[in-house]
């Protein structure tokens, strides 16, 4: 779509939306690896007083790391969906009868 000093190409916008979906899939695979690493680690802190103190905080730290991945995936998906909607809006503006 052209007008007002800019050009929007719905196909390019849609492509960026697909890129976001692909990145979300890649990050999901990394998250699976991270979860497997946490599961395989078991109790990595040891049995001394420092390890015992870290052990108390370990579940919260794990949840924080996993939560950050989940939030990032949700953002990627949201941006991707927003770009798909934007591309559809531009297409509809270019060809209102379609």
């Amino acid at each position: 779509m052209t007008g007002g000093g800019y050009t929007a190409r719905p196909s390019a916008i849609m492509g960026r939306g697909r890129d976001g979906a692909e990145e979300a899939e890649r990050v999901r695979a990394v998250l699976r690896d991270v979860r497997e690493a946490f599961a395989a680690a078991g109790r990595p802190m040891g049995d001394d007083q420092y390890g015992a103190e870290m052990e108390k905080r370990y579940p919260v730290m794990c949840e924080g790391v996993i939560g950050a991945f989940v939030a990032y995936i949700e953002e990627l998906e949201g941006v991707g969906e927003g770009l798909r909607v934007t591309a559809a809006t531009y297409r509809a503006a270019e060809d209102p009868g379609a």
Side-chain angles (χ1 to χ4, degrees), residues 22-70:
E22 289 172 8
E23 179 66 3
E25 280 305 309
R26 188 188 73 74
V27 174
R28 260 191 207 88
V30 172
L31 176 55
R32 281 191 294 276
D33 292 345
V34 167
R35 283 185 167 139
E36 288 174 11
F38 282 149
R43 289 189 65 228
M45 305 305 167
D47 293 321
D48 63 7
Q49 71 185 46
Y50 300 107
E53 188 59 33
M54 288 287 293
E55 183 75 26
K56 292 177 192 174
R57 297 176 188 187
Y58 187 68
V60 172
M61 289 187 298
C62 290
E63 288 173 20
V65 169
I66 290 171
F69 273 97
V70 169

